[in-house]
Amino acid sequence: MDDLGWLELACDLAALCPPSSTAFSVGAVVVGADGREVARGFSREHDPHDHAEEAALAKTARDLTGSTVYSSLEPCGHRASRPRTCAELIVASGARRVVFAWREPALFAAGKGAEILAAAGVELVEVPELAGRAREPNAHLLGK
């Protein structure tokens, strides 16, 4: 599968999120350097405070050096509910690329995950043609 296919899967996973009025619904897939899926997750998968990237990364103990994280939303760069942001968790995992569909709007916190990732040398690929799919499970938050 290519970047578009993996990112479409992440957008599909976002639709599985229990609805929330205080957090975005996000899906994430971790793909190893060999092009195979390592793990997947979505927001609030096991806990009301779970973020998608966090849920996916928690499912693997393997070395993720060279992996790619696909997320329907820019990984968070600010977080009140947990000590580490998703951007920090991705950097610590060894993943070298992040592909996302939608930049985090400043609804709950200023989106600065992309800046944290870029500063750590993680390659960022934004695929705005899938932003509409990423917004769909969040329409109730956006007034649409």
Side-chain angles (χ1 to χ4, degrees):
M1 207 166 2
D2 62 3
D3 282 349
L4 194 60
W6 288 116
L7 192 53
E8 286 174 335
L9 175 57
C11 289
D12 291 344
L13 290 168
L16 301 176
C17 299
S20 172
S21 60
T22 59
F24 290 110
S25 293
V26 181
V29 182
V30 180
V31 176
D34 61 1
R36 295 181 181 195
E37 181 177 332
V38 175
R40 60 174 70 183
F42 56 89
S43 302
R44 299 173 296 285
E45 184 172 356
H46 299 291
D47 179 281
H49 299 291
D50 283 348
H51 284 198
E53 303 89 342
E54 170 188 42
L57 291 169
K59 293 175 184 170
T60 181
R62 138 181 182 184
D63 178 13
L64 297 178
T65 300
S67 295
T68 299
V69 175
Y70 294 88
S71 181
S72 59
L73 180 70
E74 170 189 3
C76 73
H78 177 270
R79 189 136 186 215
S81 62
R82 300 270 166 86
R84 296 176 82 188
T85 67
C86 290
E88 292 168 335
L89 292 170
I90 291 167
V91 170
S93 79
R96 299 315 311 151
R97 291 178 76 232
V98 171
V99 180
F100 65 96
W102 181 32
R103 288 238 176 215
E104 183 176 8
L107 184 61
F108 302 116
K112 60 179 184 175
E115 289 81 1
I116 292 168
L117 293 163
V122 175
E123 177 189 350
L124 295 168
V125 179
E126 185 174 357
V127 184
E129 56 266 30
L130 288 181
R133 286 206 43 209
R135 284 192 289 270
E136 285 173 15
N138 296 289
H140 65 289
L141 299 172
L142 305 171
K144 297 178 182 177

